[in-house]
Amino acid sequence: MMMKKTLIASAVVATLGAASAQAATIAETDTTKVDMYGRINLILENDDGNNAIADNGSRIGFKASDQINDDLKAFARAEFRFPADDRDNKDDGVFQDLRNTYAGLEGGFGKLTVGNFDGLYYQSTSSVLDMMENTGYRALVEGGDRARGDTIAFETADLGGMQFGIGAKHYKEDTIDGTAYDEAFNLQAYGQFNLVENLTLAVAFDQNNEDTPDGGEDPIIGAQATYEMDVLAASVLFETAGDWMHIGAGGSYGYGSGDIYGLVSMIDDGTDMGMDLAVGANYKFSKSLRTYGEFAMGNDKPVQNAADKTVGDKSVMTLGLRYDW
């Protein structure tokens, strides 16, 4: 049996909602199964005084699996995002984004995945703070950093409470914005440990290859610890890269009809420091339907010169309605 990823295993995601929690089986034989899932997520956002109704990651997706033999399973997934708030808000088509699209094999040996998916660093480590529906989350390595495309990853099976993984993203020779790049690879790896009951630790490495279009000068190392007990989950995250340091903490509490959650994130680039805060709560009418309210407050400190990885020097209030199937 494969060891569950920290984020999937934690109450943070169990309560805040996996994308395919309400997946419906649309085809099934003795060995093959195909599920369809989706989400409509709409928000009223006050972005530092500017109001807007917007889509917040609405999507539709399909998962398939084929049991080849008792110890080997093939799997595949395809997921697409679309703007649910405005029929005219589309870029030359209904779908705006091709999300997780991959295939692979899973068995007693572990798991091999090829295609477009979140990086292993994020899955094992920095994702523990990715709990906000709208804005507020940030990390030195997020899901799409040096990932989501042309990637191959191998993860071991559960090794007595331990699991390890390594992945590589391929970059072809290319010219981007006038800069020529040679063919290159970027490596990510992690180790995850369930040392005691309810406590999971993980360490991760991102090569952050400077010879790639989205690479940097220094490799990135991260570590997280997650503790979960009944309706309570808490996580801490530490990341470092050269002069940069990120320390974050977050948690969630299930109060019966929903969840209360929040996080704090501090970035230090070696010169000065900036802190972001975010809190939220939701009310679940059913397993499929929830409403939520969130508040995020930031500063003007970007994450390694990436201004889109911070709330900014402002506050953002969100009211949302989300339906999963």
Side-chain angles (χ1 to χ4, degrees), residues 106-137:
E106 183 175 12
F109 66 93
K111 182 178 180 181
L112 180 69
T113 309
V114 181
N116 162 30
F117 50 91
D118 290 335
L120 295 184
Y121 182 115
Y122 167 83
Q123 290 189 49
S124 64
T125 303
S126 59
S127 63
V128 295
L129 297 187
D130 192 2
M131 60 186 66
M132 307 306 297
E133 292 275 4
N134 190 17
T135 190
Y137 165 72

mmCIF file of all heavy atoms in Angstrom, residues 106-137:
data_model
loop_
_atom_site.group_PDB
_atom_site.id
_atom_site.type_symbol
_atom_site.label_atom_id
_atom_site.label_comp_id
_atom_site.label_asym_id
_atom_site.label_seq_id
_atom_site.Cartn_x
_atom_site.Cartn_y
_atom_site.Cartn_z
ATOM 1 N N GLU A 106 1.694 2.042 -11.096
ATOM 2 C CA GLU A 106 1.802 1.984 -9.641
ATOM 3 C C GLU A 106 1.696 0.541 -9.187
ATOM 4 O O GLU A 106 0.885 -0.230 -9.711
ATOM 5 C CB GLU A 106 0.702 2.820 -9.001
ATOM 6 C CG GLU A 106 0.752 2.892 -7.497
ATOM 7 C CD GLU A 106 -0.297 3.838 -6.936
ATOM 8 O OE1 GLU A 106 -1.194 4.245 -7.695
ATOM 9 O OE2 GLU A 106 -0.199 4.144 -5.729
ATOM 10 N N GLY A 107 2.546 0.153 -8.242
ATOM 11 C CA GLY A 107 2.515 -1.209 -7.729
ATOM 12 C C GLY A 107 3.364 -1.337 -6.490
ATOM 13 O O GLY A 107 3.714 -0.348 -5.840
ATOM 14 N N GLY A 108 3.767 -2.587 -6.175
ATOM 15 C CA GLY A 108 4.575 -2.827 -5.010
ATOM 16 C C GLY A 108 5.933 -2.164 -5.071
ATOM 17 O O GLY A 108 6.553 -1.892 -4.037
ATOM 18 N N PHE A 109 6.395 -1.851 -6.274
ATOM 19 C CA PHE A 109 7.688 -1.188 -6.450
ATOM 20 C C PHE A 109 7.631 0.297 -6.128
ATOM 21 O O PHE A 109 8.656 0.946 -5.890
ATOM 22 C CB PHE A 109 8.160 -1.350 -7.905
ATOM 23 C CG PHE A 109 7.283 -0.643 -8.903
ATOM 24 C CD1 PHE A 109 7.566 0.654 -9.309
ATOM 25 C CD2 PHE A 109 6.152 -1.258 -9.422
ATOM 26 C CE1 PHE A 109 6.762 1.321 -10.212
ATOM 27 C CE2 PHE A 109 5.338 -0.603 -10.333
ATOM 28 C CZ PHE A 109 5.637 0.686 -10.729
ATOM 29 N N GLY A 110 6.432 0.879 -6.176
ATOM 30 C CA GLY A 110 6.270 2.314 -6.001
ATOM 31 C C GLY A 110 5.370 2.893 -7.078
ATOM 32 O O GLY A 110 4.431 2.232 -7.543
ATOM 33 N N LYS A 111 5.705 4.090 -7.518
ATOM 34 C CA LYS A 111 4.853 4.806 -8.458
ATOM 35 C C LYS A 111 5.706 5.582 -9.454
ATOM 36 O O LYS A 111 6.622 6.314 -9.060
ATOM 37 C CB LYS A 111 3.938 5.766 -7.692
ATOM 38 C CG LYS A 111 2.948 6.549 -8.532
ATOM 39 C CD LYS A 111 2.092 7.415 -7.612
ATOM 40 C CE LYS A 111 1.077 8.242 -8.378
ATOM 41 N NZ LYS A 111 0.279 9.099 -7.469
ATOM 42 N N LEU A 112 5.419 5.417 -10.730
ATOM 43 C CA LEU A 112 6.109 6.126 -11.797
ATOM 44 C C LEU A 112 5.091 6.983 -12.540
ATOM 45 O O LEU A 112 4.077 6.468 -13.029
ATOM 46 C CB LEU A 112 6.762 5.145 -12.767
ATOM 47 C CG LEU A 112 7.520 5.755 -13.950
ATOM 48 C CD1 LEU A 112 8.784 6.473 -13.466
ATOM 49 C CD2 LEU A 112 7.885 4.688 -14.970
ATOM 50 N N THR A 113 5.344 8.301 -12.615
ATOM 51 C CA THR A 113 4.411 9.249 -13.231
ATOM 52 C C THR A 113 5.131 10.054 -14.300
ATOM 53 O O THR A 113 6.254 10.526 -14.076
ATOM 54 C CB THR A 113 3.826 10.212 -12.177
ATOM 55 O OG1 THR A 113 3.309 9.463 -11.076
ATOM 56 C CG2 THR A 113 2.718 11.066 -12.783
ATOM 57 N N VAL A 114 4.474 10.238 -15.445
ATOM 58 C CA VAL A 114 5.040 11.006 -16.551
ATOM 59 C C VAL A 114 4.000 12.002 -17.039
ATOM 60 O O VAL A 114 2.841 11.643 -17.242
ATOM 61 C CB VAL A 114 5.464 10.088 -17.722
ATOM 62 C CG1 VAL A 114 6.080 10.912 -18.851
ATOM 63 C CG2 VAL A 114 6.435 9.018 -17.253
ATOM 64 N N GLY A 115 4.413 13.261 -17.225
ATOM 65 C CA GLY A 115 3.493 14.237 -17.804
ATOM 66 C C GLY A 115 3.530 15.576 -17.099
ATOM 67 O O GLY A 115 4.583 16.104 -16.764
ATOM 68 N N ASN A 116 2.328 16.110 -16.811
ATOM 69 C CA ASN A 116 2.131 17.461 -16.300
ATOM 70 C C ASN A 116 1.454 17.369 -14.934
ATOM 71 O O ASN A 116 0.274 17.033 -14.836
ATOM 72 C CB ASN A 116 1.263 18.237 -17.313
ATOM 73 C CG ASN A 116 0.626 19.479 -16.738
ATOM 74 O OD1 ASN A 116 1.159 20.114 -15.836
ATOM 75 N ND2 ASN A 116 -0.542 19.827 -17.261
ATOM 76 N N PHE A 117 2.213 17.648 -13.872
ATOM 77 C CA PHE A 117 1.677 17.525 -12.517
ATOM 78 C C PHE A 117 2.493 18.397 -11.570
ATOM 79 O O PHE A 117 3.586 18.865 -11.903
ATOM 80 C CB PHE A 117 1.689 16.062 -12.040
ATOM 81 C CG PHE A 117 3.007 15.367 -12.237
ATOM 82 C CD1 PHE A 117 3.977 15.362 -11.248
ATOM 83 C CD2 PHE A 117 3.277 14.702 -13.426
ATOM 84 C CE1 PHE A 117 5.186 14.717 -11.427
ATOM 85 C CE2 PHE A 117 4.495 14.050 -13.624
ATOM 86 C CZ PHE A 117 5.455 14.067 -12.620
ATOM 87 N N ASP A 118 1.950 18.626 -10.365
ATOM 88 C CA ASP A 118 2.646 19.421 -9.357
ATOM 89 C C ASP A 118 3.982 18.782 -9.002
ATOM 90 O O ASP A 118 4.106 17.554 -8.944
ATOM 91 C CB ASP A 118 1.796 19.548 -8.095
ATOM 92 C CG ASP A 118 0.571 20.430 -8.298
ATOM 93 O OD1 ASP A 118 0.611 21.291 -9.192
ATOM 94 O OD2 ASP A 118 -0.411 20.243 -7.552
ATOM 95 N N GLY A 119 4.985 19.625 -8.720
ATOM 96 C CA GLY A 119 6.307 19.132 -8.385
ATOM 97 C C GLY A 119 6.326 18.341 -7.087
ATOM 98 O O GLY A 119 5.521 18.551 -6.183
ATOM 99 N N LEU A 120 7.290 17.423 -6.971
ATOM 100 C CA LEU A 120 7.394 16.591 -5.772
ATOM 101 C C LEU A 120 7.712 17.410 -4.528
ATOM 102 O O LEU A 120 7.281 17.071 -3.423
ATOM 103 C CB LEU A 120 8.461 15.515 -5.973
ATOM 104 C CG LEU A 120 8.182 14.467 -7.058
ATOM 105 C CD1 LEU A 120 9.288 13.423 -7.066
ATOM 106 C CD2 LEU A 120 6.827 13.810 -6.858
ATOM 107 N N TYR A 121 8.495 18.479 -4.695
ATOM 108 C CA TYR A 121 8.799 19.361 -3.560
ATOM 109 C C TYR A 121 7.502 19.901 -2.983
ATOM 110 O O TYR A 121 7.262 19.844 -1.772
ATOM 111 C CB TYR A 121 9.709 20.492 -4.033
ATOM 112 C CG TYR A 121 10.160 21.478 -2.979
ATOM 113 C CD1 TYR A 121 11.494 21.592 -2.627
ATOM 114 C CD2 TYR A 121 9.258 22.334 -2.344
ATOM 115 C CE1 TYR A 121 11.914 22.507 -1.672
ATOM 116 C CE2 TYR A 121 9.665 23.250 -1.391
ATOM 117 C CZ TYR A 121 10.996 23.327 -1.059
ATOM 118 O OH TYR A 121 11.403 24.236 -0.115
ATOM 119 N N TYR A 122 6.655 20.431 -3.835
ATOM 120 C CA TYR A 122 5.378 20.993 -3.390
ATOM 121 C C TYR A 122 4.494 19.913 -2.781
ATOM 122 O O TYR A 122 3.924 20.084 -1.696
ATOM 123 C CB TYR A 122 4.667 21.638 -4.568
ATOM 124 C CG TYR A 122 3.208 21.973 -4.310
ATOM 125 C CD1 TYR A 122 2.854 23.144 -3.662
ATOM 126 C CD2 TYR A 122 2.190 21.110 -4.727
ATOM 127 C CE1 TYR A 122 1.516 23.453 -3.426
ATOM 128 C CE2 TYR A 122 0.864 21.402 -4.492
ATOM 129 C CZ TYR A 122 0.527 22.575 -3.839
ATOM 130 O OH TYR A 122 -0.796 22.862 -3.605
ATOM 131 N N GLN A 123 4.356 18.776 -3.447
ATOM 132 C CA GLN A 123 3.457 17.734 -2.970
ATOM 133 C C GLN A 123 3.826 17.261 -1.570
ATOM 134 O O GLN A 123 2.949 16.998 -0.739
ATOM 135 C CB GLN A 123 3.475 16.542 -3.931
ATOM 136 C CG GLN A 123 2.835 16.799 -5.277
ATOM 137 C CD GLN A 123 2.700 15.528 -6.078
ATOM 138 O OE1 GLN A 123 2.219 14.511 -5.586
ATOM 139 N NE2 GLN A 123 3.139 15.569 -7.330
ATOM 140 N N SER A 124 5.121 17.143 -1.306
ATOM 141 C CA SER A 124 5.555 16.573 -0.038
ATOM 142 C C SER A 124 5.763 17.605 1.062
ATOM 143 O O SER A 124 5.697 17.276 2.247
ATOM 144 C CB SER A 124 6.874 15.819 -0.241
ATOM 145 O OG SER A 124 7.913 16.722 -0.624
ATOM 146 N N THR A 125 6.031 18.865 0.689
ATOM 147 C CA THR A 125 6.530 19.815 1.680
ATOM 148 C C THR A 125 5.767 21.137 1.688
ATOM 149 O O THR A 125 5.029 21.422 2.627
ATOM 150 C CB THR A 125 8.033 20.068 1.438
ATOM 151 O OG1 THR A 125 8.722 18.810 1.489
ATOM 152 C CG2 THR A 125 8.613 20.990 2.493
ATOM 153 N N SER A 126 5.909 21.958 0.657
ATOM 154 C CA SER A 126 5.344 23.310 0.733
ATOM 155 C C SER A 126 3.828 23.339 0.611
ATOM 156 O O SER A 126 3.195 24.339 0.955
ATOM 157 C CB SER A 126 5.973 24.207 -0.337
ATOM 158 O OG SER A 126 5.770 23.698 -1.631
ATOM 159 N N SER A 127 3.212 22.254 0.159
ATOM 160 C CA SER A 127 1.752 22.224 0.017
ATOM 161 C C SER A 127 1.025 22.256 1.353
ATOM 162 O O SER A 127 -0.183 22.509 1.398
ATOM 163 C CB SER A 127 1.328 20.977 -0.760
ATOM 164 O OG SER A 127 1.691 19.807 -0.045
ATOM 165 N N VAL A 128 1.723 21.988 2.460
ATOM 166 C CA VAL A 128 1.031 21.930 3.748
ATOM 167 C C VAL A 128 0.422 23.270 4.130
ATOM 168 O O VAL A 128 -0.486 23.328 4.973
ATOM 169 C CB VAL A 128 1.963 21.443 4.873
ATOM 170 C CG1 VAL A 128 2.390 20.011 4.630
ATOM 171 C CG2 VAL A 128 3.173 22.357 5.035
ATOM 172 N N LEU A 129 0.906 24.375 3.533
ATOM 173 C CA LEU A 129 0.323 25.686 3.820
ATOM 174 C C LEU A 129 -0.636 26.162 2.728
ATOM 175 O O LEU A 129 -1.185 27.259 2.827
ATOM 176 C CB LEU A 129 1.431 26.733 4.008
ATOM 177 C CG LEU A 129 2.378 26.522 5.186
ATOM 178 C CD1 LEU A 129 3.295 27.735 5.339
ATOM 179 C CD2 LEU A 129 1.619 26.270 6.481
ATOM 180 N N ASP A 130 -0.854 25.358 1.715
ATOM 181 C CA ASP A 130 -1.730 25.752 0.608
ATOM 182 C C ASP A 130 -3.173 25.435 0.973
ATOM 183 O O ASP A 130 -3.791 24.509 0.452
ATOM 184 C CB ASP A 130 -1.321 25.025 -0.669
ATOM 185 C CG ASP A 130 -1.997 25.598 -1.898
ATOM 186 O OD1 ASP A 130 -2.752 26.588 -1.766
ATOM 187 O OD2 ASP A 130 -1.770 25.062 -3.004
ATOM 188 N N MET A 131 -3.732 26.236 1.879
ATOM 189 C CA MET A 131 -5.057 25.955 2.410
ATOM 190 C C MET A 131 -6.099 27.031 2.085
ATOM 191 O O MET A 131 -7.281 26.833 2.325
ATOM 192 C CB MET A 131 -4.975 25.785 3.928
ATOM 193 C CG MET A 131 -4.456 27.008 4.658
ATOM 194 S SD MET A 131 -4.208 26.698 6.435
ATOM 195 C CE MET A 131 -2.892 25.494 6.393
ATOM 196 N N MET A 132 -5.659 28.161 1.544
ATOM 197 C CA MET A 132 -6.595 29.232 1.243
ATOM 198 C C MET A 132 -7.304 28.960 -0.083
ATOM 199 O O MET A 132 -6.700 28.483 -1.045
ATOM 200 C CB MET A 132 -5.870 30.572 1.173
ATOM 201 C CG MET A 132 -5.029 30.904 2.391
ATOM 202 S SD MET A 132 -5.920 30.819 3.966
ATOM 203 C CE MET A 132 -7.148 32.113 3.739
ATOM 204 N N GLU A 133 -8.592 29.285 -0.148
ATOM 205 C CA GLU A 133 -9.327 29.143 -1.400
ATOM 206 C C GLU A 133 -8.873 30.186 -2.427
ATOM 207 O O GLU A 133 -8.745 29.891 -3.606
ATOM 208 C CB GLU A 133 -10.827 29.309 -1.155
ATOM 209 C CG GLU A 133 -11.468 28.209 -0.351
ATOM 210 C CD GLU A 133 -11.891 27.027 -1.196
ATOM 211 O OE1 GLU A 133 -11.611 27.033 -2.408
ATOM 212 O OE2 GLU A 133 -12.498 26.099 -0.628
ATOM 213 N N ASN A 134 -8.620 31.414 -1.943
ATOM 214 C CA ASN A 134 -8.231 32.489 -2.855
ATOM 215 C C ASN A 134 -6.762 32.827 -2.647
ATOM 216 O O ASN A 134 -5.885 32.062 -2.999
ATOM 217 C CB ASN A 134 -9.142 33.708 -2.653
ATOM 218 C CG ASN A 134 -8.940 34.762 -3.734
ATOM 219 O OD1 ASN A 134 -8.373 34.479 -4.797
ATOM 220 N ND2 ASN A 134 -9.384 35.964 -3.488
ATOM 221 N N THR A 135 -6.443 33.953 -2.070
ATOM 222 C CA THR A 135 -5.052 34.378 -1.959
ATOM 223 C C THR A 135 -4.555 34.255 -0.523
ATOM 224 O O THR A 135 -5.335 34.117 0.411
ATOM 225 C CB THR A 135 -4.905 35.830 -2.455
ATOM 226 O OG1 THR A 135 -3.527 36.164 -2.574
ATOM 227 C CG2 THR A 135 -5.586 36.806 -1.512
ATOM 228 N N GLY A 136 -3.241 34.310 -0.335
ATOM 229 C CA GLY A 136 -2.652 34.232 0.990
ATOM 230 C C GLY A 136 -1.536 33.218 1.092
ATOM 231 O O GLY A 136 -0.642 33.351 1.928
ATOM 232 N N TYR A 137 -1.573 32.188 0.244
ATOM 233 C CA TYR A 137 -0.532 31.169 0.274
ATOM 234 C C TYR A 137 0.676 31.608 -0.541
ATOM 235 O O TYR A 137 0.549 32.195 -1.610
ATOM 236 C CB TYR A 137 -1.060 29.852 -0.303
ATOM 237 C CG TYR A 137 0.025 28.856 -0.650
ATOM 238 C CD1 TYR A 137 0.727 28.195 0.352
ATOM 239 C CD2 TYR A 137 0.335 28.573 -1.977
ATOM 240 C CE1 TYR A 137 1.718 27.281 0.042
ATOM 241 C CE2 TYR A 137 1.323 27.654 -2.294
ATOM 242 C CZ TYR A 137 2.010 27.013 -1.281
ATOM 243 O OH TYR A 137 3.003 26.114 -1.602
#
